Structure formats: C-alpha cells, structure tokens
Amino acid sequence: MTPFTEPTKLRVLITGAAGIIGMCLRNHWRGRYGLLRLADIAEQRPADAGEEVRTFDIRDIDTVEPCMQGIDCVVHLAGVPVEDSWEKVLPLNIEGCYNVFEAARRQGVRRVVFASSNHAVGYHRREKFIDNAVQPRPDSRYGVSKVFGEALGRMYADKYGLSVACLRIGTFRLPDRPVESRQLLTWISHRDMAQLARRCVEHESYHFVVAYGVSNNLRSRWDNSSVKFLGYQPEDDSEAYAAEILAQGVAENPVAAQFHGGFFCPMEFVGTTDRIS
Ligand code: 15L
C-alpha cells in the first residue's frame, strides 16, 4: 500500500477539477503525483503528462464510482459553491457528496479531503475566535450542506475507517487577492490553498480532521492551532491589501458584520440578531 508520504506514487482524484480551486490545485500539483485524475461535468483542458481527464456527474453514482478505481485520495470540490435553491443544493451538495464518499468506500479509496466551508459555522459571532470544535452554525442551505458533508465524513471515518479531512475554506478568489473588508479576515491565497490541500493529501496518518482554509491573515478570526500537526504554514497575509481596501470606506451590511459568514447571513434574514448568541 502506497504511503501517503510518497507523492510520486500516489493516485489522486480531484472532483470539480474545472472550478477555480480545482484549476488552482491542478496547476500547483503538475507533476507532483503518480496520477492526478481530474473529474468534472464541465469541459476541461486536455490531460498533460501524469493526468487523466474524466467527465462525471456527482448526481449519478454510476458515473462517480469508475473515477475512484485505483485512487488513494480524493479531493472533493464538486458542487454548488454559493447559496442556492434547495433544488440545486440537495442533488449536488448533499446527494452528490454522499455519492462521492460511498463510491470512494466501495472502491477502497483510503482518504477523502472534503471542501467544506466557513459557512458551516457562519452564524457564530465574529467577535469570538472560533476553532474547529465549535458547534455547527450554518448560515445558509449551502452551509447546511457543508455541515452534512462534515458529518458524513466523520461517519465514513468512524464506521468505514477512511481518513477524512474537512477544510472550512474562507474566501478563495480569482484574481488572487482580497477586495473587501471581510476578506481581510477570511482570504486564502492560491498557494496557501494548494499547500493546505497538499498537506492533507500527503500527511502520514490522521483519522478525521477539520481545518480552516485561511491564509496567515493578521485579522483572521479562525483558530487552526489544534491542527498544527498537518504542517500547514500559510505564506500570505491579507494585511498587505488592508490600507487600500479600508481606504475605500465601504461599510459591511450590519447583519453581515456581526457574523463569521458575512454576506451569507443577511440573505433571506428575518430573524433577530440579538437571539443569535
Ligand atoms: C464560500 O464557501 C463560497 O464558496 C465562496 O463563494 C465565498 O462566498 C466564501 O465562502 C466566503 O465566505 O467568502
């Protein structure tokens, strides 16, 4: 069995490889792994050496399972990346996520790195630093789907022995820089994203881990101290853009500004912020 610490022998699958994070990982990981299999429903550029390009639909497990054959680790990015209707979130982020974990289990894949989101804990108050042990507090249907994915990952780790990492990704952007005040807290640069995912793919051994996907931002409110063992050492800090962004004087929505999830929190909001402790 190939140790995860030997990347040149590892066979890695990225789902959602045509998305902006998928393309970032593809670019950063060129030539790194024994095989990089790239799966998406959307068209992708042709495979380079060491790559395979596959078309699949996460809503259909019969198209997902063949992508898992011979794979050591799946990086699961596919799904809707923002708040959306239940009609999209359910098949793509909930049933699709199940299809990925279940197909991985059936094919003997040993590790899944799941792209969760900060929106799984978006209604935690921003004045509090949060770590990976806080209660789920989703701020959207999208956030609920990420809580589901984390719970599913925990179950596949505990019941079926998969090694599972869930990354609560902050703000990943193209172009690669923060552009508004909340992003000074939440930004993750492309090279930091690639490093964090790589650390999760190549770590020798873990059972289940939740980490925040964030750069080394001076203003970050997310505490990754309990996952130092992963070896993630972010290189970028949004502070380099702070003066320019703050000089624009754009005030955040008053509901958004109170919570980690920012602009997702006021969407459809008819609650009472005082009651969200
Ligand atoms: C996310 O999870 C989304 O995928 C992305 O579109 C941003 O909204 C990001 O979170 C964020 O919180 O800024």
Side-chain angles (χ1 to χ4, degrees), residues 98-127:
Y98 173 79
N99 289 342
V100 167
F101 274 97
E102 176 57 14
R105 182 196 69 78
R106 289 182 195 171
Q107 289 298 321
V109 174
R110 291 176 290 142
R111 176 170 285 175
V112 176
V113 178
F114 168 57
S116 182
S117 167
N118 73 92
H119 298 289
V121 290
Y123 270 131
H124 280 284
R125 287 206 161 268
R126 202 182 284 180
E127 67 252 24

PDB file of all heavy atoms in Angstrom, residues 98-127:
ATOM      1  N   TYR A  98     -22.705  12.432  -0.785  1.00  0.00           N
ATOM      2  CA  TYR A  98     -22.879  11.023  -0.404  1.00  0.00           C
ATOM      3  C   TYR A  98     -22.312  10.115  -1.497  1.00  0.00           C
ATOM      4  O   TYR A  98     -21.596   9.139  -1.210  1.00  0.00           O
ATOM      5  CB  TYR A  98     -24.374  10.703  -0.172  1.00  0.00           C
ATOM      6  CG  TYR A  98     -24.583   9.217   0.056  1.00  0.00           C
ATOM      7  CD1 TYR A  98     -24.311   8.656   1.290  1.00  0.00           C
ATOM      8  CD2 TYR A  98     -24.974   8.387  -0.987  1.00  0.00           C
ATOM      9  CE1 TYR A  98     -24.451   7.279   1.488  1.00  0.00           C
ATOM     10  CE2 TYR A  98     -25.111   7.012  -0.801  1.00  0.00           C
ATOM     11  CZ  TYR A  98     -24.850   6.474   0.445  1.00  0.00           C
ATOM     12  OH  TYR A  98     -24.963   5.120   0.633  1.00  0.00           O
ATOM     13  N   ASN A  99     -22.624  10.418  -2.740  1.00  0.00           N
ATOM     14  CA  ASN A  99     -22.140   9.572  -3.841  1.00  0.00           C
ATOM     15  C   ASN A  99     -20.615   9.491  -3.852  1.00  0.00           C
ATOM     16  O   ASN A  99     -20.036   8.433  -4.115  1.00  0.00           O
ATOM     17  CB  ASN A  99     -22.644  10.106  -5.185  1.00  0.00           C
ATOM     18  CG  ASN A  99     -24.143   9.897  -5.359  1.00  0.00           C
ATOM     19  OD1 ASN A  99     -24.752   9.078  -4.669  1.00  0.00           O
ATOM     20  ND2 ASN A  99     -24.750  10.658  -6.268  1.00  0.00           N
ATOM     21  N   VAL A 100     -19.974  10.611  -3.552  1.00  0.00           N
ATOM     22  CA  VAL A 100     -18.506  10.633  -3.565  1.00  0.00           C
ATOM     23  C   VAL A 100     -17.944   9.772  -2.432  1.00  0.00           C
ATOM     24  O   VAL A 100     -17.076   8.918  -2.655  1.00  0.00           O
ATOM     25  CB  VAL A 100     -17.984  12.091  -3.488  1.00  0.00           C
ATOM     26  CG1 VAL A 100     -16.488  12.127  -3.170  1.00  0.00           C
ATOM     27  CG2 VAL A 100     -18.265  12.800  -4.812  1.00  0.00           C
ATOM     28  N   PHE A 101     -18.440   9.964  -1.211  1.00  0.00           N
ATOM     29  CA  PHE A 101     -17.927   9.157  -0.088  1.00  0.00           C
ATOM     30  C   PHE A 101     -18.244   7.673  -0.296  1.00  0.00           C
ATOM     31  O   PHE A 101     -17.394   6.811  -0.052  1.00  0.00           O
ATOM     32  CB  PHE A 101     -18.514   9.639   1.245  1.00  0.00           C
ATOM     33  CG  PHE A 101     -17.735  10.775   1.850  1.00  0.00           C
ATOM     34  CD1 PHE A 101     -18.137  12.093   1.678  1.00  0.00           C
ATOM     35  CD2 PHE A 101     -16.594  10.534   2.615  1.00  0.00           C
ATOM     36  CE1 PHE A 101     -17.416  13.145   2.242  1.00  0.00           C
ATOM     37  CE2 PHE A 101     -15.865  11.581   3.174  1.00  0.00           C
ATOM     38  CZ  PHE A 101     -16.282  12.892   2.986  1.00  0.00           C
ATOM     39  N   GLU A 102     -19.463   7.387  -0.737  1.00  0.00           N
ATOM     40  CA  GLU A 102     -19.867   5.993  -0.878  1.00  0.00           C
ATOM     41  C   GLU A 102     -19.095   5.306  -2.016  1.00  0.00           C
ATOM     42  O   GLU A 102     -18.640   4.167  -1.867  1.00  0.00           O
ATOM     43  CB  GLU A 102     -21.382   5.913  -1.099  1.00  0.00           C
ATOM     44  CG  GLU A 102     -21.933   4.535  -1.351  1.00  0.00           C
ATOM     45  CD  GLU A 102     -21.631   3.490  -0.262  1.00  0.00           C
ATOM     46  OE1 GLU A 102     -21.211   3.852   0.851  1.00  0.00           O
ATOM     47  OE2 GLU A 102     -21.799   2.292  -0.579  1.00  0.00           O
ATOM     48  N   ALA A 103     -18.931   6.002  -3.131  1.00  0.00           N
ATOM     49  CA  ALA A 103     -18.156   5.426  -4.240  1.00  0.00           C
ATOM     50  C   ALA A 103     -16.704   5.224  -3.811  1.00  0.00           C
ATOM     51  O   ALA A 103     -16.079   4.216  -4.163  1.00  0.00           O
ATOM     52  CB  ALA A 103     -18.233   6.338  -5.465  1.00  0.00           C
ATOM     53  N   ALA A 104     -16.175   6.158  -3.026  1.00  0.00           N
ATOM     54  CA  ALA A 104     -14.796   6.014  -2.519  1.00  0.00           C
ATOM     55  C   ALA A 104     -14.698   4.758  -1.655  1.00  0.00           C
ATOM     56  O   ALA A 104     -13.773   3.958  -1.791  1.00  0.00           O
ATOM     57  CB  ALA A 104     -14.398   7.265  -1.742  1.00  0.00           C
ATOM     58  N   ARG A 105     -15.644   4.597  -0.760  1.00  0.00           N
ATOM     59  CA  ARG A 105     -15.622   3.415   0.120  1.00  0.00           C
ATOM     60  C   ARG A 105     -15.692   2.124  -0.698  1.00  0.00           C
ATOM     61  O   ARG A 105     -14.912   1.199  -0.479  1.00  0.00           O
ATOM     62  CB  ARG A 105     -16.812   3.465   1.086  1.00  0.00           C
ATOM     63  CG  ARG A 105     -16.858   2.299   2.069  1.00  0.00           C
ATOM     64  CD  ARG A 105     -18.211   2.172   2.738  1.00  0.00           C
ATOM     65  NE  ARG A 105     -19.262   1.739   1.841  1.00  0.00           N
ATOM     66  CZ  ARG A 105     -19.443   0.477   1.438  1.00  0.00           C
ATOM     67  NH1 ARG A 105     -18.646  -0.486   1.861  1.00  0.00           N
ATOM     68  NH2 ARG A 105     -20.435   0.173   0.622  1.00  0.00           N
ATOM     69  N   ARG A 106     -16.605   2.095  -1.645  1.00  0.00           N
ATOM     70  CA  ARG A 106     -16.766   0.865  -2.446  1.00  0.00           C
ATOM     71  C   ARG A 106     -15.488   0.504  -3.182  1.00  0.00           C
ATOM     72  O   ARG A 106     -15.191  -0.667  -3.396  1.00  0.00           O
ATOM     73  CB  ARG A 106     -17.895   1.044  -3.476  1.00  0.00           C
ATOM     74  CG  ARG A 106     -19.275   1.089  -2.867  1.00  0.00           C
ATOM     75  CD  ARG A 106     -20.299   1.210  -3.986  1.00  0.00           C
ATOM     76  NE  ARG A 106     -21.602   1.592  -3.508  1.00  0.00           N
ATOM     77  CZ  ARG A 106     -22.620   1.939  -4.303  1.00  0.00           C
ATOM     78  NH1 ARG A 106     -22.461   1.963  -5.611  1.00  0.00           N
ATOM     79  NH2 ARG A 106     -23.773   2.284  -3.790  1.00  0.00           N
ATOM     80  N   GLN A 107     -14.743   1.513  -3.617  1.00  0.00           N
ATOM     81  CA  GLN A 107     -13.535   1.257  -4.417  1.00  0.00           C
ATOM     82  C   GLN A 107     -12.260   1.200  -3.572  1.00  0.00           C
ATOM     83  O   GLN A 107     -11.156   1.160  -4.119  1.00  0.00           O
ATOM     84  CB  GLN A 107     -13.401   2.326  -5.511  1.00  0.00           C
ATOM     85  CG  GLN A 107     -14.431   2.189  -6.609  1.00  0.00           C
ATOM     86  CD  GLN A 107     -14.299   0.859  -7.364  1.00  0.00           C
ATOM     87  OE1 GLN A 107     -13.196   0.382  -7.626  1.00  0.00           O
ATOM     88  NE2 GLN A 107     -15.434   0.244  -7.684  1.00  0.00           N
ATOM     89  N   GLY A 108     -12.417   1.251  -2.243  1.00  0.00           N
ATOM     90  CA  GLY A 108     -11.243   1.091  -1.382  1.00  0.00           C
ATOM     91  C   GLY A 108     -10.341   2.313  -1.318  1.00  0.00           C
ATOM     92  O   GLY A 108      -9.155   2.199  -0.969  1.00  0.00           O
ATOM     93  N   VAL A 109     -10.881   3.493  -1.662  1.00  0.00           N
ATOM     94  CA  VAL A 109     -10.097   4.727  -1.509  1.00  0.00           C
ATOM     95  C   VAL A 109      -9.836   4.942  -0.017  1.00  0.00           C
ATOM     96  O   VAL A 109     -10.746   4.752   0.799  1.00  0.00           O
ATOM     97  CB  VAL A 109     -10.872   5.927  -2.107  1.00  0.00           C
ATOM     98  CG1 VAL A 109     -10.143   7.237  -1.841  1.00  0.00           C
ATOM     99  CG2 VAL A 109     -11.073   5.725  -3.607  1.00  0.00           C
ATOM    100  N   ARG A 110      -8.619   5.335   0.341  1.00  0.00           N
ATOM    101  CA  ARG A 110      -8.273   5.392   1.772  1.00  0.00           C
ATOM    102  C   ARG A 110      -8.472   6.760   2.399  1.00  0.00           C
ATOM    103  O   ARG A 110      -8.502   6.894   3.615  1.00  0.00           O
ATOM    104  CB  ARG A 110      -6.818   4.948   1.956  1.00  0.00           C
ATOM    105  CG  ARG A 110      -6.624   3.467   1.673  1.00  0.00           C
ATOM    106  CD  ARG A 110      -5.175   3.089   1.762  1.00  0.00           C
ATOM    107  NE  ARG A 110      -4.410   3.652   0.675  1.00  0.00           N
ATOM    108  CZ  ARG A 110      -3.173   4.133   0.788  1.00  0.00           C
ATOM    109  NH1 ARG A 110      -2.557   4.123   1.937  1.00  0.00           N
ATOM    110  NH2 ARG A 110      -2.546   4.631  -0.277  1.00  0.00           N
ATOM    111  N   ARG A 111      -8.546   7.806   1.576  1.00  0.00           N
ATOM    112  CA  ARG A 111      -8.609   9.155   2.169  1.00  0.00           C
ATOM    113  C   ARG A 111      -9.476  10.071   1.314  1.00  0.00           C
ATOM    114  O   ARG A 111      -9.410  10.023   0.080  1.00  0.00           O
ATOM    115  CB  ARG A 111      -7.185   9.712   2.275  1.00  0.00           C
ATOM    116  CG  ARG A 111      -7.112  11.129   2.790  1.00  0.00           C
ATOM    117  CD  ARG A 111      -5.686  11.529   3.105  1.00  0.00           C
ATOM    118  NE  ARG A 111      -5.213  10.916   4.343  1.00  0.00           N
ATOM    119  CZ  ARG A 111      -3.983  10.998   4.821  1.00  0.00           C
ATOM    120  NH1 ARG A 111      -3.074  11.708   4.148  1.00  0.00           N
ATOM    121  NH2 ARG A 111      -3.643  10.430   5.957  1.00  0.00           N
ATOM    122  N   VAL A 112     -10.266  10.914   1.994  1.00  0.00           N
ATOM    123  CA  VAL A 112     -11.058  11.945   1.305  1.00  0.00           C
ATOM    124  C   VAL A 112     -10.752  13.297   1.955  1.00  0.00           C
ATOM    125  O   VAL A 112     -10.820  13.435   3.181  1.00  0.00           O
ATOM    126  CB  VAL A 112     -12.575  11.669   1.388  1.00  0.00           C
ATOM    127  CG1 VAL A 112     -13.371  12.808   0.736  1.00  0.00           C
ATOM    128  CG2 VAL A 112     -12.937  10.339   0.722  1.00  0.00           C
ATOM    129  N   VAL A 113     -10.405  14.268   1.132  1.00  0.00           N
ATOM    130  CA  VAL A 113     -10.243  15.655   1.591  1.00  0.00           C
ATOM    131  C   VAL A 113     -11.451  16.418   1.040  1.00  0.00           C
ATOM    132  O   VAL A 113     -11.615  16.547  -0.175  1.00  0.00           O
ATOM    133  CB  VAL A 113      -8.918  16.259   1.077  1.00  0.00           C
ATOM    134  CG1 VAL A 113      -8.787  17.713   1.524  1.00  0.00           C
ATOM    135  CG2 VAL A 113      -7.723  15.426   1.550  1.00  0.00           C
ATOM    136  N   PHE A 114     -12.305  16.871   1.949  1.00  0.00           N
ATOM    137  CA  PHE A 114     -13.595  17.451   1.559  1.00  0.00           C
ATOM    138  C   PHE A 114     -13.543  18.973   1.676  1.00  0.00           C
ATOM    139  O   PHE A 114     -13.166  19.510   2.724  1.00  0.00           O
ATOM    140  CB  PHE A 114     -14.687  16.880   2.479  1.00  0.00           C
ATOM    141  CG  PHE A 114     -16.010  17.599   2.394  1.00  0.00           C
ATOM    142  CD1 PHE A 114     -16.683  17.716   1.182  1.00  0.00           C
ATOM    143  CD2 PHE A 114     -16.585  18.162   3.533  1.00  0.00           C
ATOM    144  CE1 PHE A 114     -17.899  18.391   1.109  1.00  0.00           C
ATOM    145  CE2 PHE A 114     -17.802  18.835   3.463  1.00  0.00           C
ATOM    146  CZ  PHE A 114     -18.453  18.953   2.251  1.00  0.00           C
ATOM    147  N   ALA A 115     -13.957  19.648   0.606  1.00  0.00           N
ATOM    148  CA  ALA A 115     -14.031  21.112   0.626  1.00  0.00           C
ATOM    149  C   ALA A 115     -15.299  21.526   1.359  1.00  0.00           C
ATOM    150  O   ALA A 115     -16.371  21.662   0.771  1.00  0.00           O
ATOM    151  CB  ALA A 115     -14.033  21.650  -0.800  1.00  0.00           C
ATOM    152  N   SER A 116     -15.165  21.707   2.677  1.00  0.00           N
ATOM    153  CA  SER A 116     -16.252  22.297   3.447  1.00  0.00           C
ATOM    154  C   SER A 116     -16.140  23.816   3.311  1.00  0.00           C
ATOM    155  O   SER A 116     -15.479  24.314   2.381  1.00  0.00           O
ATOM    156  CB  SER A 116     -16.156  21.832   4.916  1.00  0.00           C
ATOM    157  OG  SER A 116     -17.240  22.359   5.654  1.00  0.00           O
ATOM    158  N   SER A 117     -16.768  24.527   4.188  1.00  0.00           N
ATOM    159  CA  SER A 117     -16.782  25.987   4.058  1.00  0.00           C
ATOM    160  C   SER A 117     -16.954  26.629   5.425  1.00  0.00           C
ATOM    161  O   SER A 117     -17.566  26.041   6.339  1.00  0.00           O
ATOM    162  CB  SER A 117     -17.939  26.416   3.157  1.00  0.00           C
ATOM    163  OG  SER A 117     -18.168  27.808   3.247  1.00  0.00           O
ATOM    164  N   ASN A 118     -16.483  27.852   5.522  1.00  0.00           N
ATOM    165  CA  ASN A 118     -16.728  28.651   6.737  1.00  0.00           C
ATOM    166  C   ASN A 118     -18.226  28.830   6.973  1.00  0.00           C
ATOM    167  O   ASN A 118     -18.644  29.104   8.097  1.00  0.00           O
ATOM    168  CB  ASN A 118     -15.999  29.989   6.637  1.00  0.00           C
ATOM    169  CG  ASN A 118     -16.630  30.963   5.662  1.00  0.00           C
ATOM    170  OD1 ASN A 118     -17.472  31.785   6.037  1.00  0.00           O
ATOM    171  ND2 ASN A 118     -16.250  30.887   4.381  1.00  0.00           N
ATOM    172  N   HIS A 119     -19.030  28.650   5.916  1.00  0.00           N
ATOM    173  CA  HIS A 119     -20.476  28.854   6.083  1.00  0.00           C
ATOM    174  C   HIS A 119     -21.148  27.719   6.865  1.00  0.00           C
ATOM    175  O   HIS A 119     -22.321  27.836   7.214  1.00  0.00           O
ATOM    176  CB  HIS A 119     -21.133  29.113   4.724  1.00  0.00           C
ATOM    177  CG  HIS A 119     -20.593  30.363   4.108  1.00  0.00           C
ATOM    178  ND1 HIS A 119     -20.894  31.618   4.596  1.00  0.00           N
ATOM    179  CD2 HIS A 119     -19.688  30.556   3.109  1.00  0.00           C
ATOM    180  CE1 HIS A 119     -20.229  32.538   3.904  1.00  0.00           C
ATOM    181  NE2 HIS A 119     -19.482  31.919   3.002  1.00  0.00           N
ATOM    182  N   ALA A 120     -20.390  26.667   7.174  1.00  0.00           N
ATOM    183  CA  ALA A 120     -20.892  25.634   8.106  1.00  0.00           C
ATOM    184  C   ALA A 120     -21.002  26.197   9.528  1.00  0.00           C
ATOM    185  O   ALA A 120     -21.737  25.659  10.357  1.00  0.00           O
ATOM    186  CB  ALA A 120     -19.955  24.427   8.098  1.00  0.00           C
ATOM    187  N   VAL A 121     -20.260  27.269   9.777  1.00  0.00           N
ATOM    188  CA  VAL A 121     -20.241  27.868  11.122  1.00  0.00           C
ATOM    189  C   VAL A 121     -20.466  29.388  11.041  1.00  0.00           C
ATOM    190  O   VAL A 121     -20.045  30.144  11.909  1.00  0.00           O
ATOM    191  CB  VAL A 121     -18.902  27.558  11.847  1.00  0.00           C
ATOM    192  CG1 VAL A 121     -18.825  26.079  12.217  1.00  0.00           C
ATOM    193  CG2 VAL A 121     -17.685  27.930  10.999  1.00  0.00           C
ATOM    194  N   GLY A 122     -21.184  29.786   9.976  1.00  0.00           N
ATOM    195  CA  GLY A 122     -21.285  31.207   9.643  1.00  0.00           C
ATOM    196  C   GLY A 122     -22.028  32.069  10.631  1.00  0.00           C
ATOM    197  O   GLY A 122     -21.785  33.277  10.713  1.00  0.00           O
ATOM    198  N   TYR A 123     -22.968  31.476  11.411  1.00  0.00           N
ATOM    199  CA  TYR A 123     -23.728  32.292  12.371  1.00  0.00           C
ATOM    200  C   TYR A 123     -23.067  32.371  13.749  1.00  0.00           C
ATOM    201  O   TYR A 123     -23.694  32.808  14.707  1.00  0.00           O
ATOM    202  CB  TYR A 123     -25.173  31.805  12.492  1.00  0.00           C
ATOM    203  CG  TYR A 123     -26.129  32.481  11.504  1.00  0.00           C
ATOM    204  CD1 TYR A 123     -27.001  31.735  10.728  1.00  0.00           C
ATOM    205  CD2 TYR A 123     -26.163  33.874  11.365  1.00  0.00           C
ATOM    206  CE1 TYR A 123     -27.878  32.339   9.830  1.00  0.00           C
ATOM    207  CE2 TYR A 123     -27.035  34.489  10.470  1.00  0.00           C
ATOM    208  CZ  TYR A 123     -27.889  33.719   9.705  1.00  0.00           C
ATOM    209  OH  TYR A 123     -28.750  34.329   8.815  1.00  0.00           O
ATOM    210  N   HIS A 124     -21.812  31.954  13.842  1.00  0.00           N
ATOM    211  CA  HIS A 124     -21.076  32.280  15.076  1.00  0.00           C
ATOM    212  C   HIS A 124     -20.712  33.752  15.029  1.00  0.00           C
ATOM    213  O   HIS A 124     -20.386  34.294  13.966  1.00  0.00           O
ATOM    214  CB  HIS A 124     -19.807  31.427  15.196  1.00  0.00           C
ATOM    215  CG  HIS A 124     -20.080  30.045  15.696  1.00  0.00           C
ATOM    216  ND1 HIS A 124     -20.352  29.783  17.027  1.00  0.00           N
ATOM    217  CD2 HIS A 124     -20.161  28.870  15.055  1.00  0.00           C
ATOM    218  CE1 HIS A 124     -20.581  28.483  17.170  1.00  0.00           C
ATOM    219  NE2 HIS A 124     -20.481  27.910  15.995  1.00  0.00           N
ATOM    220  N   ARG A 125     -20.773  34.364  16.188  1.00  0.00           N
ATOM    221  CA  ARG A 125     -20.491  35.802  16.256  1.00  0.00           C
ATOM    222  C   ARG A 125     -19.021  36.085  15.982  1.00  0.00           C
ATOM    223  O   ARG A 125     -18.145  35.396  16.472  1.00  0.00           O
ATOM    224  CB  ARG A 125     -20.893  36.356  17.626  1.00  0.00           C
ATOM    225  CG  ARG A 125     -22.383  36.451  17.780  1.00  0.00           C
ATOM    226  CD  ARG A 125     -22.792  37.517  18.790  1.00  0.00           C
ATOM    227  NE  ARG A 125     -24.182  37.858  18.555  1.00  0.00           N
ATOM    228  CZ  ARG A 125     -24.566  38.863  17.750  1.00  0.00           C
ATOM    229  NH1 ARG A 125     -23.681  39.628  17.170  1.00  0.00           N
ATOM    230  NH2 ARG A 125     -25.841  39.088  17.565  1.00  0.00           N
ATOM    231  N   ARG A 126     -18.813  37.107  15.184  1.00  0.00           N
ATOM    232  CA  ARG A 126     -17.464  37.397  14.725  1.00  0.00           C
ATOM    233  C   ARG A 126     -16.554  37.876  15.851  1.00  0.00           C
ATOM    234  O   ARG A 126     -15.334  37.752  15.764  1.00  0.00           O
ATOM    235  CB  ARG A 126     -17.534  38.443  13.611  1.00  0.00           C
ATOM    236  CG  ARG A 126     -16.313  38.422  12.717  1.00  0.00           C
ATOM    237  CD  ARG A 126     -16.364  39.481  11.661  1.00  0.00           C
ATOM    238  NE  ARG A 126     -17.277  39.158  10.571  1.00  0.00           N
ATOM    239  CZ  ARG A 126     -17.458  39.968   9.534  1.00  0.00           C
ATOM    240  NH1 ARG A 126     -16.802  41.121   9.449  1.00  0.00           N
ATOM    241  NH2 ARG A 126     -18.301  39.639   8.564  1.00  0.00           N
ATOM    242  N   GLU A 127     -17.144  38.456  16.915  1.00  0.00           N
ATOM    243  CA  GLU A 127     -16.254  38.929  17.987  1.00  0.00           C
ATOM    244  C   GLU A 127     -15.555  37.765  18.686  1.00  0.00           C
ATOM    245  O   GLU A 127     -14.554  37.944  19.365  1.00  0.00           O
ATOM    246  CB  GLU A 127     -16.982  39.822  18.997  1.00  0.00           C
ATOM    247  CG  GLU A 127     -18.029  39.126  19.844  1.00  0.00           C
ATOM    248  CD  GLU A 127     -19.453  39.509  19.456  1.00  0.00           C
ATOM    249  OE1 GLU A 127     -19.664  39.931  18.295  1.00  0.00           O
ATOM    250  OE2 GLU A 127     -20.351  39.394  20.317  1.00  0.00           O
TER     251      GLU A 127
END
